[in-house]
């Protein structure tokens, strides 16, 4: 059993997000950590939304989605939320819960809440996406300088331990933001792995 699988971006077996559907598993949670994943509406429509459809391809129940990103490089929540909810519902048949968590990374000023690595954590897998998940343009052409996307199974003890450490670190950051900048957390505040204070269901 292989705990890891890699694809070269743009290769014959990975020319679009739909090519990865065969690796999708049923899930309840998706945590996306990427400072630039929602920085541009066109990239969102060409990459994030079709990839979310791919990841939820085997799921027919509610999904908790948390995006942890740079506030200075983020489209407005009111614009982002309906796009994500509609995309996932079109596959699962159920409106997902969505939470947007933003940190502030000022140039030249270190921030303990900033996350620079790009990764996606789910129930059974962790995905390493290199410098971005914004791989393709509207025509399906590769627009990234990154080479590969890497799937890592949490069935391997080492991978599972690293994932737990990531969750612990994110939880620490979220607690800090809740106290010092509560407006940086928007949405349903629902997750199977992260805890949010004053979690309420928001309808938008």
């Amino acid at each position: 059993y292989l705990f890891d699988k890699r694809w070269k971006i743009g290769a014959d077996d990975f020319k679009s997000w739909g090519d990865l559907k065969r690796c999708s598993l049923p899930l309840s949670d998706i945590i996306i950590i990427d400072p630039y994943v929602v920085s541009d509406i066109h990239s969102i429509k060409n990459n994030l939304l079709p990839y979310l459809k791919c990841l939820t391809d085997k799921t027919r129940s509610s999904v908790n989605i948390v995006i942890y990103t740079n506030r200075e490089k983020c489209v407005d929540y009111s614009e982002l939320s309906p796009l994500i909810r509609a995309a996932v519902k079109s596959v699962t048949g159920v409106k997902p819960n969505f939470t947007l968590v933003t940190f502030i990374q000022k140039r030249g000023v270190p921030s303990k809440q900033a996350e620079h690595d790009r990764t996606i954590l789910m129930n059974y897998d962790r995905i390493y996406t290199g410098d971005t998940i914004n791989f393709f343009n509207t025509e399906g052409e590769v627009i990234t300088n990154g080479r590969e996307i890497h799937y890592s199974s949490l069935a391997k003890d080492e991978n599972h331990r690293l994932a737990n450490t990531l969750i612990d670190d994110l939880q620490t950051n979220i607690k800090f933001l809740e106290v010092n900048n509560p407006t940086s957390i928007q949405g349903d505040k629902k997750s199977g792995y992260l805890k949010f204070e004053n979690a309420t269901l928001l309808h938008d």
Side-chain angles (χ1 to χ4, degrees):
Y1 179 77
L2 295 177
F3 291 101
D4 294 271
K5 174 67 176 176
R6 292 174 172 84
W7 290 267
K8 185 179 185 302
I9 302 166
D12 288 342
D13 58 349
F14 181 34
K15 290 186 176 296
S16 70
W17 290 113
D19 290 335
L20 301 184
K21 282 184 180 180
R22 61 187 182 276
C23 294
S24 298
L25 295 170
L27 54 81
S28 64
D29 285 81
I30 302 173
I31 301 173
I32 299 174
I33 304 165
D34 186 325
Y36 306 111
V37 67
V38 289
S39 61
D40 174 78
I41 194 65
H42 298 293
S43 294
I44 290 169
K45 291 180 178 180
N46 294 333
N47 293 280
L48 176 62
L49 300 184
Y51 195 25
L52 284 173
K53 291 180 180 181
C54 169
L55 294 175
T56 57
D57 185 64
K58 303 297 189 299
T59 301
R60 297 297 180 267
S61 58
S62 181
V63 179
N64 303 312
I65 301 171
V66 177
I67 293 181
Y68 191 91
T69 192
N70 185 343
R71 182 181 302 182
E72 303 301 317
K73 304 292 183 179
C74 181
V75 302
D76 190 79
Y77 173 84
S78 62
E79 184 177 10
L80 178 62
S81 177
L83 293 175
I84 288 179
R85 295 180 193 273
V88 174
K89 185 179 179 180
S90 71
V91 176
T92 65
V94 183
K95 187 177 181 180
N97 297 309
F98 172 56
T99 305
L100 179 67
V101 183
T102 57
F103 59 83
I104 297 176
Q105 178 64 70
K106 297 180 179 179
R107 182 172 297 181
V109 180
S111 170
K112 291 183 178 180
Q113 285 68 54
E115 288 284 343
H116 299 283
D117 289 354
R118 282 71 160 168
T119 189
I120 300 173
L121 183 64
M122 301 175 295
N123 299 73
Y124 304 109
D125 299 288
R126 183 174 178 181
I127 302 169
Y128 300 89
T129 60
D131 63 343
T132 180
I133 70 164
N134 294 326
F135 292 168
F136 307 107
N137 63 16
T138 304
E139 287 71 40
E141 299 168 330
V142 175
I143 58 173
T144 177
N145 292 322
R147 291 186 56 82
E148 300 170 351
I149 187 169
H150 174 198
Y151 276 50
S152 177
S153 172
L154 301 186
K156 185 176 183 179
D157 287 343
E158 180 183 18
N159 296 343
H160 193 263
R161 287 195 298 271
L162 287 171
N164 285 338
T165 299
L166 173 64
I167 291 170
D168 289 343
D169 290 344
L170 283 178
Q171 187 66 68
T172 298
N173 292 347
I174 287 169
K175 287 182 178 179
F176 176 88
L177 292 171
E178 285 176 330
V179 172
N180 295 278
N181 197 352
T183 60
S184 65
I185 304 175
Q186 298 174 279
D188 299 304
K189 300 182 181 180
K190 290 182 178 293
S191 172
Y193 296 96
L194 300 168
K195 296 180 181 179
F196 296 92
E197 294 295 328
N198 302 318
T200 56
L201 183 61
L202 303 182
H203 299 280
D204 54 1

